[in-house]
Amino acid sequence: MGYELLSKWDSTRPYAEAALYHHLWYDEKGGYPREYTHKGNDNAILYQILTCADCLGAATDSVGRAYSSCKNFADMLADLHCNAGRMFNPDLVQLFDSEQRQQEAGRLITVEREQLYREVFCKNVELVL
């Protein structure tokens, strides 16, 4: 659905493939679409970054994307390392080995996420009222 929506307008068309292909695993043995390959695609690293970010965001979100109980950052970081080379680009996962990046990511998915949700919620309430 995201691919179809983004494909409709000139301003968002360049992002349509990212919406579709970021669900394909790094090793291309899982995810979708299966008929796509990262090989030879100049944008593959972008899709792989989005795969990592989307999984990290979804797994640690207890409010906006609460499909199930969320994981804490340490557990999700362990999942990233466990699935490096399979689901996730191992070079991207290695970026999280830095203590500073772990702290930054942890802050983004806790404090800054909560602040963003509050801002959006308040704006939407104002629009309704």
Side-chain angles (χ1 to χ4, degrees):
M1 184 187 317
Y3 173 82
E4 291 174 14
L5 287 171
L6 292 169
S7 294
K8 290 184 178 186
W9 296 278
D10 290 340
S11 63
T12 57
R13 195 167 294 121
Y15 310 105
E17 284 189 354
L20 180 62
Y21 297 141
H22 80 279
H23 291 284
L24 185 66
W25 292 5
Y26 177 75
D27 69 3
E28 300 179 4
K29 294 180 182 174
Y32 59 89
R34 292 290 177 97
E35 63 276 359
Y36 172 76
T37 182
H38 294 300
K39 294 170 186 67
N41 188 313
D42 293 339
N43 293 322
I45 189 64
L46 169 64
Y47 308 150
Q48 294 165 7
I49 291 169
L50 290 173
T51 300
C52 190
D54 185 45
C55 288
L56 179 67
T60 59
D61 192 345
S62 64
V63 180
R65 297 172 68 173
Y67 314 129
S68 59
S69 60
C70 71
K71 294 182 179 186
N72 63 42
F73 181 69
D75 289 343
M76 186 56 206
L77 188 59
D79 283 352
L80 288 175
H81 279 94
C82 181
N83 289 296
R86 189 170 73 98
M87 291 178 70
F88 307 111
N89 180 319
D91 295 327
L92 296 174
V93 173
Q94 188 176 15
L95 293 174
F96 286 100
D97 290 346
S98 157
E99 182 69 30
Q100 180 182 354
R101 286 199 187 102
Q102 288 178 22
Q103 290 175 356
E104 290 171 359
R107 188 187 76 254
L108 284 170
I109 64 170
T110 56
V111 175
E112 293 192 24
R113 175 189 281 157
E114 183 177 328
Q115 179 181 351
L116 179 62
Y117 283 161
R118 288 177 191 269
E119 289 174 17
V120 170
F121 177 76
C122 290
K123 286 180 183 177
N124 285 333
V125 168
E126 289 174 10
L127 290 173
V128 172
L129 297 176

